Every structure is written in C-alpha cells, then in structure tokens.
Amino acid sequence: MSSVKVVVTGLGATTPLGGDAASTWSAMLAGRSGVRALTEDWAADLPARIAAKAAVDPSEVLERVQMRRMDRTQQFALIAAREAWAAAGSPEVEPERLGVAVSSGIGGINTTLNQYDIFKEKGWRRVSPFTVPMLMPNGPAATVELEFKARAGAHTTVSACSSGSEAIGYGIDMIRSGRADVVIAGGTEAALHPLNLAAFASMRALSTRNDEPERASRPFDKNRDGFVMGEGAGIVILERAEYAAARGATVYAVAAGVGYSSDAFDLVAPDPNGGAAAARHALADAGLEPSDIRHVNAHATSTPTGDISETEGIRMALGDAADDVAVTATKSMTGHLLGGAGAVESIAAILALRDGKVPPTANLDDIDDGVVVDVVRGEPRVLPEGRIAALNNSFGFGGHNVVLAFSRA
Amino acid sequence: MAMSEQEILSGLGEIVNEIAGVPADEVTPEKSFVDDLDIDSLSMVEIAVAAQDKFGVEIPDDQLKNLKTVKDVINFIQA
C-alpha cells in the first residue's frame, strides 16, 4: 500500500448514452440502452447489424479543421478530457508536474483502413500526411498532452479491453512514484468499421439480436448471445490528495488502488482465477478488506462464457463478503467500448459511490443459473452510507486483468 | 489557357480554408504560409496536393520548400 493518496477530481465522458458524464450517468440510472440498428449499406450483409454509436458526434462539438487532423479516437478523448479538466476546475499545475495516460484498445484503425482505401484507389500522393499521427495507438494520449501542455510524460497502456482501466492504474502510479501531481487518464475507442464488425463476428463474439437492438446487450441473462460494439471515451483527472486539498478541489472519490494479473491460460477464453487474483491485488494495493467493497462494476460484456466466469472470480476474491456486494454491468446500456470501457465504467463506479446508487443491469430478464453474485436489476440499488469502496473489473483478450479500487472521499 | 493571378488566389484561398481553417480573405499574396497563416509542414503537403488537383500543376517536393509565400505559389503555378 502506497503512502501517497490519489484522488479523482474531474470526470468527462462521451458515450452512446450521452455527450458528457452527467447525461451518461443519468441514462445508466434510468436503465436506458444506447444500442441501435446499423442502417448503413455496408452493414447489410453482416451477421451483427447493431452497434452503440456515440450519442453526440464529435462534429457537433469540435471545429472542422481540428476534426480532420484527428482520428475519431482522438476526437472522443479530447472532448472527454476537456470536460474532465473543466470539472476539476482547470488546475493551474506546472506542465512538468502534469502527466497523461490515455489508451485505446485498437488505436486509429478507421484512419488506417480509410487511408488504405485511398492508397489503393488514388496512389500514395493522396494519402493524408496526417495518417501516421492519426493511426498511432498513442495518438489520443498525444492529442491530450498537446491540448493541456503536459510535460511529465504521456503514456498509452495497451491491453485490449482493459486498456482504459490500465491507463488509470498507470496514472495512479505516476502520482505515487512522484512523477506528477495531476494526471489526465482514461481510454477511448472508435472502431465501428465494417472490418472490425466482421472480425469480431468471425470470432462469433457479437450479438446477432438484430431485430431488438436495445435488448441485445444483456450481461448475465440466460439468453445473451455476445457483445455489442460501442464507441466513445472516458477521462478522469487524478490528483495527489494533498495537492488537490491545497487548491480546494472537489473530490469525487479516492483512487485507492489497482491490481493486475495475466491468465496465462488462453488467448481469448477467460479464467476466473485471473480476475480473482487481480481483485486481491487491488484490495492489497488499496489497503482494503473484502468487507469494504459494496459494489463491483463488472466487465461483463454479454458473452456466454465471460460473464459467468467473472462472477466466480468475484466470489473467489471476496469470499462471503461477496453476498453484500451490488454487482452491475453497465455494458448492458453502453455496449462494449473496448479500450474506452474501463474508463467509462470507472466513472460509473465513482458516481455510484458519490450518489450512493448502483445502476441496474438492463435486459436482465432471466438470470443465468451460473451467476454466483447479486446483480442489480430493475431499479437502481441504494448503497450504504459510510466509507465504502467499489471495484471496477476490466479484462482483455490476451488474458489481461485490471481491477481498480475506488473508495468514498 | 493560363489562369489569372486573381483566379489562382481565389482557388488557393478555398484550399487553405478547407485544410487549415484560415479565412479565405486572409490568403493574400504577401502572406507567408508558416509565419503569417500559421500553417504547419504537414498541412503544406496537403495544400500542395490539393493545388495540384485544382490547377493541374505538380509541385515537386524539392520545390515545395522554396514556396514561402502565397505569391510564390501563384508564380509557380503561372510559370
């Protein structure tokens, strides 16, 4: 356990549920789905013709010229970072003490594929000179670094669908190790390209509930049949607690700790031991007991094997204390934001602690018999008063497990 | 038929506005792309390619670095 306390002083998000953190959060509490039918011609022959597009397109927010030099992943990250920075009161931190940790699971794949189309059709001279800075996975971190003049280091931790949570973990460690006083941390993804939908469909990973888009993402439900791709970003402002207190910043939650593990089991299939190990490491890192944890924002993507395995891991890590934990899967509403998921779900866990309310898991009509934890359904669940804590689980293809622990301020 | 300076200037204004967001009426002959219009090197490459499409005149890379002002580009296209 570190002697340096890290707090969260700002939140920002642009998701399939809303163009900011507040609208995303209120939609989650209302159990609203952001999944819609894909009506584009290119989707017509795909087995999965549904997705969770960003509720507010970046073109509604950013200037045109700025837009065309950024991949959509960068656009989302910048929008969310601006919101989080403003929410934190735009701290007047020295550039040398401001860090960035912003990740994406795939990076600027739309740019890669679109520019390859241009290359094939029109030749190399028509390929945009901005292609490289737009496609590089560290592009969103660089965009944020430039915007806020951060000179303590800008980092991109890539671990598929745990990338966003890993970035927040990296940010916590930047502050603990003394490298920075403030870190802009989170994740972003914009991968709704026909090839990506085809590639995930080829793995049989996507829901094909095309006739009921809003009902398609249904973690823990018996009739779940895969995840729904989403897009967007989440950003948090992490800050050394003493620094935040000195400037009178509002604290949303304590970023109490992070735990990592890797399964060494299978490239894509989950192992409950891995998630459990990461959760134990997070508790130890945060100095928390299982009984402190009253809420888990599950990774639960709505795939047949992953959701059950995760609930087993939660019980392995928390033991009997798991009986008092309200588990939810906000991907039932946002879809799966891949590298953005861990960051958006961290924001949901932080706001659940702040407001004392856990959003319900949508579409949970008939809970799977293999679920061994208490999943919130129907209405939001009220959390107890006091200094409770929450975990945010994020797991990625490759067997990457990241668990973040947040506690009440 | 060669285009007039005014026609080229007007076309360049549209290109610079599209690529760099500079208002077209600020694109006047004496302006330097880098110092006055705040255009970076990657955007200059885009402008050169767009100018080639619009005016049918190829601007080789070794010439591009010599084209400092809007007037330089107009002269190159007219030459």
Side-chain angles (χ1 to χ4, degrees):
Chain A
M1 188 186 166
S2 172
S3 60
V4 178
K5 185 175 168 187
V6 179
V7 294
V8 179
T9 57
L11 307 175
T14 182
T15 76
L17 299 177
D20 58 22
S23 56
T24 297
W25 178 236
S26 62
M28 284 179 177
L29 289 174
R32 203 157 70 228
S33 172
V35 180
R36 302 287 181 266
L38 285 170
T39 53
E40 290 86 346
D41 290 344
W42 54 256
D45 293 331
L46 290 169
R49 298 184 293 280
I50 47 178
K53 284 187 186 172
V56 177
D57 195 81
S59 61
E60 296 178 41
V61 183
L62 299 176
E63 289 175 17
R64 180 183 57 82
V65 171
Q66 196 175 26
M67 285 267 299
R68 60 193 297 280
R69 297 172 185 199
M70 286 189 277
D71 182 81
R72 199 167 165 87
T73 51
Q74 294 168 300
Q75 295 166 6
F76 286 141
L78 181 60
I79 291 166
R82 283 178 176 168
E83 182 195 352
W85 189 254
S90 305
E92 290 176 10
V93 58
E94 290 292 316
E96 287 71 21
R97 300 294 299 162
L98 175 62
V100 173
V102 175
S103 297
S104 156
I106 310 182
I109 191 165
N110 272 298
T111 294
T112 304
L113 294 167
N114 293 341
Q115 292 298 320
Y116 187 48
D117 287 343
I118 290 170
F119 171 72
K120 283 185 293 183
E121 288 164 21
K122 299 179 179 172
W124 79 271
R125 287 186 65 89
R126 295 301 186 280
V127 172
S128 167
F130 292 96
T131 302
V132 172
M134 286 167 68
L135 69 78
M136 60 192 194
N138 54 311
T143 297
V144 172
E145 164 219 331
L146 281 164
E147 171 87 1
F148 298 99
K149 306 279 181 283
R151 298 210 171 97
H155 305 276
T156 300
T157 55
V158 176
S159 54
C161 301
S162 52
S163 299
S165 283
E166 189 166 347
I168 294 172
Y170 192 96
I172 292 170
D173 286 339
M174 281 183 85
I175 294 172
R176 285 174 171 179
S177 65
R179 289 180 53 202
D181 291 319
V182 182
V183 176
I184 304 167
T188 180
E189 203 77 70
L192 296 180
H193 184 284
L195 180 72
N196 302 325
L197 282 151
F200 282 115
S202 171
M203 299 178 83
R204 309 298 189 267
L206 296 182
S207 171
T208 57
R209 195 180 287 266
N210 297 308
D211 51 347
E212 292 182 295
E214 297 186 350
R215 313 263 300 146
S217 185
R218 41 196 316 123
F220 305 124
D221 186 86
K222 269 183 186 162
N223 294 309
R224 68 193 182 281
D225 70 331
F227 77 84
V228 176
M229 277 185 72
E231 62 171 3
I235 297 283
V236 301
I237 306 299
L238 300 170
E239 204 162 332
R240 189 162 58 82
E242 289 172 359
Y243 186 90
R247 70 180 189 90
T250 302
V251 173
Y252 288 81
V254 179
V258 57
Y260 303 99
S261 75
S262 43
D263 290 343
F265 171 73
D266 186 272
L267 205 54
V268 294
D271 175 2
N273 294 293
R280 287 192 199 101
H281 296 326
L283 290 176
D285 186 54
L288 293 168
E289 297 297 325
S291 57
D292 295 321
I293 306 300
R294 302 305 291 267
H295 167 47
V296 174
N297 189 305
H299 183 67
T301 63
S302 186
T303 59
T305 54
D307 296 6
I308 299 304
S309 169
E310 180 174 7
T311 70
E312 292 165 358
I314 291 169
R315 191 155 279 284
M316 287 162 71
L318 300 181
D320 290 343
D323 292 342
D324 297 321
V325 173
V327 177
T328 199
T330 45
K331 286 189 186 77
S332 59
M333 298 167 278
T334 61
H336 191 354
L337 272 61
L338 310 179
V344 169
E345 289 154 23
S346 289
I347 290 170
I350 291 162
L351 290 174
L353 286 175
R354 186 195 66 173
D355 292 354
K357 280 185 211 167
V358 174
T361 300
N363 300 320
L364 186 47
D365 300 329
D366 196 3
I367 195 160
D368 190 301
D369 296 332
V371 172
V372 294
V373 294
D374 177 15
V375 181
V376 180
R377 57 203 284 194
E379 295 296 315
R381 178 83 56 87
V382 175
L383 286 171
E385 302 286 318
R387 294 182 63 85
I388 59 169
L391 300 179
N392 173 32
N393 282 357
S394 293
F395 309 141
F397 282 167
H400 311 280
N401 307 301
V402 182
V403 177
L404 290 163
F406 298 99
S407 57
R408 275 214 180 114
Chain B
M1 195 185 81
M3 278 178 285
S4 71
E5 177 173 333
Q6 195 50 49
E7 284 172 319
I8 297 171
L9 183 64
S10 164
L12 276 176
E14 288 171 20
I15 290 170
V16 171
N17 177 254
E18 171 66 24
I19 289 170
V22 177
D25 59 9
E26 288 183 21
V27 181
T28 50
E30 76 287 358
K31 293 276 177 68
S32 156
F33 287 102
V34 174
D35 297 334
D36 298 326
L37 301 177
D38 200 23
I39 289 169
D40 60 34
S41 62
L42 296 184
S43 296
M44 270 312 288
V45 173
E46 279 195 297
I47 289 167
V49 173
Q52 182 176 328
D53 288 347
K54 200 173 198 92
F55 306 117
V57 177
E58 187 180 343
I59 305 175
D61 289 352
D62 58 350
Q63 295 290 323
L64 183 59
K65 63 180 184 293
N66 299 324
L67 305 179
K68 308 281 191 208
T69 65
V70 174
K71 180 69 177 165
D72 291 342
V73 174
I74 292 169
N75 289 344
F76 186 88
I77 289 167
Q78 284 186 319

